């Protein structure tokens, strides 16, 4: 392997680009020169060849030196702030004045500081600059939050954002007592819904779980998506991470329906009812068909707002006024519906954000405003009623996807902080030998810092306001992401680093503000230091049995112990996730045969996987027989034994996949597939109304409840 030129490696280090990484097989992979150059150009380096690297290094260091302060400074509560200041040699350090701006026009706070030491200016282009580490004690009036910081020196001002954050995210001490259930909202079947679960179903399921003793209802992302043209029902490819999905609105419980005769007549018409019957039939959801029905009613209801009570009109106005970016989002969606093409194909004026009334249908814009109001009302009602019930209703555990679609509102609105010529993905592994391209635009590490992480803070706040636990998809992305420049294969991507401490500070601040626990999805190949950072900042881990079984402990030496280690106390334990086979399918090895059918492995690989799976089944059967006293354990017995074992552990939370309890075999999603499999569309085979009659389900949950104490 030809070593990379040293100037290119040094330039990559200046920009936080990794030139090599260890793959899942423990092999060192070195990035190609072509991919490194492509990523460095996306990050702003003027480098199209290796020969230009040395000059690009000088420019990068000069720009950093002229910045004086980093755009963001993190200080953990209880600690002093220590950060680097870079000054021209002629500037006198003793003349520095640090000021904290106080919102509302109050008198700024002068901060006392001490110069600790001068350090080598590794990033400075010459000896014209001096670099010092400055220490500032944070006064009591600077409470945890985001504080604008100003440095005055020789008549010039230099700005930064001070993030003063608790070192650990919100959360009570791990008690090992809580449990809950998982179910995608769209999959919920009930007598009242229109063919897919809705926010009312979500509330009723939360009440049912709470009645069994569960404290948490986990579900997939509930964010708005494109459900007309294009139609993408994936909850992990939303149109925004700021607004909720109107697909889940329970139309028949919208207050305006009682005062809108045209809407009631429409619902009662034979044509509408015929369409509604079609939406309710079959095992898979027709998102476009059902969304069209709901929207036809919601548009009529939105039209009636001028005739509604003063109280309702005031509530609508307050919601619009107090929801940042809502009007712009509704306008974007209305323009998108007229244009019927991605925003980067719009004319320059529209692309740049200059949207005028003539560019869209006013009714479409009003619909999106109204739909967001109703969706927020119905979702937040679940949260409010759960809090008011004093533990009798399970609290929401929401999921934050890693990114948004490239044609999403968030990318259009924040083009300055997204890299639109690259996608995020994953390097090759045993299953996806060519790597994975997830199609999301990455955040620019420098630009998002310069913006003060405003967009990140908004979408985290939005989610934490509506949930009591939030799962961060691919938590490794707080540290680094695998960038795939447009035009290159997923196997030729490059890892780019982010400022993880700044993301953890935001997570901590927002979680305390909203009293929401944070969970990180840390499955798969986890870079060194990620789990340690999660523990340091009280970000809960995931412990998934299907992952934990894939190790050297298969079969184990002690038949009285299951073939996996005990989950840690700071973990959310489960048997599987939405991206994994259901337990019954896993037990039978159906997922292995399916991967072979999709040519994700050859015959030899399939046979080897079946051999390993057989050994695991034997080990689990033997363990169940010994520990539970069952002579010939069935798959259901092993399932109950596993869940009870996890319930008896010190894991902070046990999350039970509700569909596992009635031996569902069809998965919700098969990673790496799109049109090949009906992902995100399957309805549950049991309804909400049937749950209290499913004695096997009740028995397992009672065993879990007893084991959790």
């Amino acid at each position: 392997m030809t070593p990379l030129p040293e100037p290119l490696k040094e330039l990559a280090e200046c920009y936080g680009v990794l030139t090599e990484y260890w793959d899942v097989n423990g092999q060192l992979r070195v990035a190609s020169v072509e991919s490194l150059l492509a990523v460095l150009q996306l990050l702003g380096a003027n480098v199209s060849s290796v020969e230009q690297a040395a000059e690009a290094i000088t420019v990068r260091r000069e720009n950093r030196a002229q910045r004086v302060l980093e755009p963001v400074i993190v200080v953990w509560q209880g600690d002093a702030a220590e950060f680097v200041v870079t000054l021209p040699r002629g500037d006198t350090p003793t003349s520095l004045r640090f000021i904290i701006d106080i919102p509302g026009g109050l008198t700024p706070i002068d901060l006392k500081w001490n110069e600790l030491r001068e350090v080598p200016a590794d990033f400075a282009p010459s000896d014209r600059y001096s670099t010092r580490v400055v220490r500032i004690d944070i006064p009591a009036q600077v409470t945890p939050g985001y504080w604008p910081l100003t440095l005055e020196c020789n008549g010039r001002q230099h700005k930064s954002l001070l993030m003063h954050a608790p070192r650990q995210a919100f959360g009570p001490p791990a008690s090992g007592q809580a449990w809950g259930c998982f179910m995608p909202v769209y999959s919920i079947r009930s007598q009242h819904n229109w063919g897919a679960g809705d926010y009312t179903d979500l509330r009723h399921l939360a009440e049912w779980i709470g009645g069994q003793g569960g404290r948490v209802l986990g579900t997939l992302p509930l964010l708005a998506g494109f459900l007309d043209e294009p139609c993408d029902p994936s909850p992990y490819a939303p149109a925004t991470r700021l607004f909720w999905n109107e697909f889940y609105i329970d139309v028949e419980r919208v207050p305006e329906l009682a005062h809108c005769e045209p809407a009631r007549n429409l619902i009662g018409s034979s044509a509408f009812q015929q369409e509604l019957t079609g939406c309710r039939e079959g095992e898979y959801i027709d998102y476009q068909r059902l969304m069209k029905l709901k929207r036809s009613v919601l548009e009529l209801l939105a039209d009636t707002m001028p005739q509604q009570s003063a109280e309702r009109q005031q509530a609508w106005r307050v919601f619009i006024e107090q929801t940042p970016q809502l009007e712009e989002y509704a306008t974007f969606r209305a323009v998108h519906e007229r244009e019927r093409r991605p925003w980067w194909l719009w004319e320059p004026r529209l692309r740049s954000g200059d949207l005028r009334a003539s560019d869209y249908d006013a009714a479409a814009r009003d619909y999106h405003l109204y739909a967001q109001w109703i969706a927020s009302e119905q979702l937040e009602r679940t949260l409010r009623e759960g809090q008011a019930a004093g533990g009798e209703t399970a609290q929401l555990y929401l999921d934050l996807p890693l990114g948004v679609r490239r044609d999403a509102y968030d990318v259009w609105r924040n083009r300055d902080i997204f890299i639109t010529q690259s996608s995020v993905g994953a390097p090759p592994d045993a299953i996806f030998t060519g790597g994975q391209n997830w199609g999301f635009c990455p955040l620019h590490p420098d630009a998002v810092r310069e913006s003060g992480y405003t967009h990140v803070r908004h979408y985290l706040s939005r989610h934490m306001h509506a949930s009591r636990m939030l799962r961060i998809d691919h938590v490794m992305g707080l540290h680094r992401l695998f960038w795939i420049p447009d035009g290159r294969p997923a196997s030729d991507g490059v890892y780019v680093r982010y400022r993880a401490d700044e993301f953890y500070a935001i997570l901590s601040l927002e979680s305390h503000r909203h009293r929401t626990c944070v969970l990180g999805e840390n499955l798969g190949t986890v870079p060194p230091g990620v789990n340690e950072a999660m523990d340091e900042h009280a970000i809960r881990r995931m412990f998934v049995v299907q992952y934990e079984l894939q190790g050297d402990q298969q079969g184990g030496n002690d038949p009285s112990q299951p073939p996996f280690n005990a989950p840690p106390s700071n973990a959310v334990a489960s048997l599987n996730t939405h991206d994994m086979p259901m337990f019954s399918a896993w037990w039978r090895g159906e997922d292995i045969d399916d991967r072979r059918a999709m040519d994700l492995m050859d015959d030899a690989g399939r046979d080897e996987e079946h051999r390993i799976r057989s050994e695991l089944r034997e080990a689990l059967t033997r363990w169940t027989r010994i520990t539970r006293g069952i002579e010939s354990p069935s798959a259901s017995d092993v399932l109950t034994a596993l869940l009870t074992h996890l319930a008896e552990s010190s894991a902070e939370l046990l999350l039970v996949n509700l569909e596992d309890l009635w031996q569902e075999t069809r998965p919700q999603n098969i990673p790496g597939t799109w049109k090949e499999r009906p992902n995100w569309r399957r309805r549950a085979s049991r309804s909400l109304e049937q749950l209290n009659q499913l004695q096997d389900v009740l028995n397992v949950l009672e065993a879990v409840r007893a084991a959790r104490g």
Side-chain angles (χ1 to χ4, degrees):
M1 181 181 297
T2 304
L4 293 171
E6 285 301 319
L8 183 60
K9 292 173 65 176
E10 187 175 351
L11 180 62
E13 178 63 28
C14 286
Y15 278 92
V17 178
L18 278 63
T19 58
E20 57 189 31
Y21 66 92
W22 297 93
D23 68 13
V24 293
N25 298 315
Q27 299 294 316
L28 184 65
R29 300 291 182 183
V30 179
S32 70
V33 171
E34 294 77 15
S35 288
L36 285 173
L37 290 173
V39 167
L40 287 166
Q41 290 178 60
L42 293 175
L43 287 168
N46 183 17
V47 53
S48 57
S49 66
V50 173
E51 289 72 25
Q52 295 175 303
E55 176 62 23
I57 292 169
T58 300
V59 172
R60 174 70 168 176
R61 290 176 173 171
E62 178 75 23
N63 290 339
R64 169 56 186 86
Q66 293 176 356
R67 183 68 174 76
V68 179
L69 289 174
E70 291 286 348
V72 174
I73 296 169
V74 171
V75 56
W76 302 111
Q77 191 174 9
D79 293 348
E82 290 189 9
F83 52 91
V84 172
V85 176
T86 302
L87 297 170
R89 284 287 180 186
D91 287 356
T92 305
T94 55
S95 68
L96 304 184
R97 181 187 180 206
F98 291 94
I99 308 166
I100 287 284
D101 295 335
I102 305 297
L106 300 178
T107 304
I109 302 172
D110 278 275
L111 301 178
K112 296 180 180 179
W113 62 275
N114 296 296
E115 181 186 354
L116 286 184
R117 59 190 180 277
E118 184 171 344
V119 297
D122 295 333
F123 42 73
S126 69
D127 60 3
R128 293 184 296 115
Y129 296 93
S130 65
T131 303
R132 289 171 168 79
V133 175
V134 173
R135 178 188 178 96
I136 293 177
D137 293 322
I138 303 299
Q141 61 263 49
V142 180
T143 55
Y146 310 101
W147 295 89
L149 175 69
T150 301
L151 165 61
E152 291 184 351
C153 181
N154 290 345
R156 297 188 301 272
Q157 290 191 340
H158 308 281
K159 302 288 186 178
S160 182
L161 179 68
L162 184 71
M163 293 185 181
H164 186 206
R167 186 174 294 274
Q168 295 194 326
F170 173 80
S175 62
Q177 298 297 306
W179 67 273
C181 293
F182 167 82
M183 172 71 80
V185 174
Y186 63 79
S187 186
I188 300 175
R189 188 186 294 268
S190 72
Q191 292 177 357
H192 98 274
N193 74 41
W194 285 11
D198 56 34
Y199 292 122
T200 297
D201 290 326
L202 180 69
R203 188 174 78 253
H204 289 165
L205 182 57
E207 293 168 352
W208 184 84
I209 293 169
Q212 310 307 310
R215 291 174 55 189
V216 170
L217 166 54
T219 193
L220 298 180
L222 299 177
L223 294 166
F226 293 118
L227 296 178
D228 44 18
E229 292 291 344
C231 182
D232 187 352
S234 170
Y236 292 93
T240 177
R241 285 192 286 186
L242 294 170
F243 300 106
W244 304 121
N245 201 332
E246 67 265 31
F247 179 76
Y248 298 124
I249 289 175
D250 179 356
V251 174
E252 296 188 75
R253 284 168 176 70
V254 177
E256 282 67 53
L257 184 61
H259 310 288
C260 183
E261 185 175 357
R264 296 197 306 275
N265 290 340
L266 175 63
I267 294 173
S269 68
S270 59
F272 192 97
Q273 287 298 312
Q274 185 176 354
E275 278 293 289
L276 192 54
T277 298
C279 288
R280 286 169 166 161
E281 292 175 339
E283 58 181 332
Y284 296 113
I285 298 166
D286 187 335
Y287 282 87
Q288 283 180 292
R289 188 179 187 184
L290 180 51
M291 189 69 256
K292 184 178 180 181
L293 283 183
K294 290 194 175 186
R295 179 163 180 165
S296 65
V297 179
L298 291 170
E299 286 178 336
L300 292 174
L301 300 183
D303 287 343
T304 70
M305 282 309 300
Q307 291 80 49
Q308 297 301 320
S309 68
E311 182 180 2
R312 285 295 285 174
Q313 291 188 52
Q314 176 66 11
W316 190 20
R317 285 193 294 268
V318 168
F319 175 76
I320 293 173
E321 292 169 0
Q322 296 183 351
T323 306
Q325 301 179 41
L326 174 60
E327 291 187 272
E328 185 183 61
Y329 167 75
T331 304
F332 169 85
R333 292 300 299 265
V335 173
H336 189 277
E337 289 169 5
R338 175 177 285 188
E339 291 287 323
R340 294 192 172 276
R341 52 183 178 167
W343 59 263
W344 58 83
L345 297 179
W346 297 356
E347 63 175 271
R349 176 175 62 79
L350 299 178
R351 285 203 307 270
S352 68
D354 183 5
L355 307 183
R356 303 170 186 172
S358 59
D359 299 325
Y360 58 86
D361 295 328
R365 180 178 180 272
D366 290 345
Y367 159 75
H368 284 288
L369 288 172
Y370 180 76
Q372 281 305 312
W373 180 41
I374 299 302
S376 295
E377 276 193 334
Q378 293 192 351
L379 178 59
E380 292 182 15
R381 182 180 174 187
T382 300
L383 179 65
R384 291 195 306 270
E385 292 188 356
Q387 293 172 329
E392 295 179 5
T393 297
Q395 298 292 294
L396 284 184
Y397 159 3
L398 293 184
D399 198 355
L400 176 73
L402 177 62
V404 295
R405 289 173 55 98
R406 186 171 293 200
D407 55 352
Y409 163 75
D410 294 10
V411 181
W412 171 82
R413 171 61 157 71
N414 302 282
R415 294 179 300 284
D416 55 332
I417 66 171
F418 280 96
I419 299 290
T420 57
Q421 298 84 37
S422 181
S423 296
V424 173
D429 57 29
I431 296 178
F432 300 101
T433 56
Q436 300 177 68
N437 187 325
W438 298 331
F440 309 131
C441 298
L443 289 168
H444 191 303
D446 293 340
V448 74
R449 299 181 74 220
E450 294 284 351
S451 73
Y453 292 93
T454 300
H455 177 60
V456 176
R457 289 152 54 185
H458 282 169
Y459 68 65
L460 284 173
S461 177
R462 186 76 167 152
H463 279 78
M464 292 186 186
H465 179 71
S467 63
R468 293 288 68 86
M469 176 171 278
L470 181 64
R471 173 187 181 271
I472 308 298
D473 186 34
H474 194 73
V475 74
M476 289 78 78
L478 304 181
H479 297 253
R480 70 182 193 184
L481 284 175
F482 193 69
W483 287 25
I484 306 165
D486 287 355
R488 305 202 66 81
S491 58
D492 201 13
V494 174
Y495 274 110
V496 177
R497 286 196 297 260
Y498 290 82
R499 300 294 185 116
D501 60 330
E502 294 167 5
F503 280 107
Y504 285 117
I506 297 168
L507 283 171
S508 180
L509 283 167
E510 297 300 329
S511 70
H512 280 275
R513 181 171 296 169
H514 298 285
R515 301 181 64 80
T516 298
C517 296
V518 184
L519 162 70
E521 185 268 294
N522 62 331
L523 304 176
T525 303
V526 182
V530 172
N531 285 333
E532 290 82 358
M534 292 174 65
D535 293 344
E536 178 184 359
H537 299 292
I539 307 299
R540 276 63 174 172
R541 300 192 193 185
M542 291 186 69
F543 181 94
V544 181
V545 169
Q546 283 189 27
Y547 261 106
E548 300 298 325
L549 286 168
Q550 309 302 317
D552 296 333
Q553 300 184 40
Q554 295 174 10
N557 295 320
D558 184 356
S560 67
Q561 296 298 320
F564 55 85
N565 290 325
S569 60
N570 63 340
V572 174
S574 64
L575 297 184
N576 47 32
T577 73
H578 61 272
D579 281 333
M580 296 180 182
M582 305 300 295
F583 178 81
S584 290
W586 180 90
W587 185 260
R588 301 172 189 172
E590 293 177 2
D591 59 304
I592 300 172
D593 294 329
D594 195 43
R595 296 208 313 268
R596 177 65 189 95
M598 292 186 291
D599 288 327
L600 295 177
M601 64 172 62
D602 56 20
D603 289 341
R606 176 198 59 197
D607 295 343
E608 176 64 11
E609 286 288 317
H610 273 301
R611 183 191 64 77
I612 295 173
R613 190 69 57 85
S614 177
E615 291 181 356
L616 288 170
R617 281 197 303 269
E618 291 175 7
L620 289 169
T621 300
R622 181 172 62 251
W623 166 73
T624 302
R625 182 171 59 251
I626 292 172
T627 58
R628 305 297 166 177
I630 302 173
E631 184 61 31
S632 300
S634 64
S636 180
D637 293 328
V638 175
L639 170 70
T640 304
L642 284 170
L643 289 174
T644 305
H645 176 78
L646 293 177
E648 292 168 344
S649 75
S650 62
E652 182 174 351
L653 174 67
L654 168 61
L655 197 64
V656 180
N657 190 329
L658 199 54
E659 293 185 296
D660 272 336
L661 305 188
W662 57 73
Q663 288 81 54
E664 179 61 67
T665 59
R666 301 165 300 164
Q668 290 293 345
N669 177 53
I670 300 177
T673 66
W674 178 42
K675 295 181 179 179
E676 301 89 342
R677 296 292 186 272
N679 296 331
W680 320 117
R681 295 177 54 210
R682 180 179 59 74
R683 293 191 183 91
S685 60
R686 304 292 188 273
S687 70
L688 284 178
E689 293 80 12
Q690 290 177 299
L691 291 179
N692 283 328
Q693 282 72 53
L694 299 176
Q695 196 57 50
D696 289 346
V697 171
L698 298 175
N699 290 343
V700 174
L701 294 184
E702 179 54 39
V704 166
R705 178 177 185 169
R708 288 264 91 177

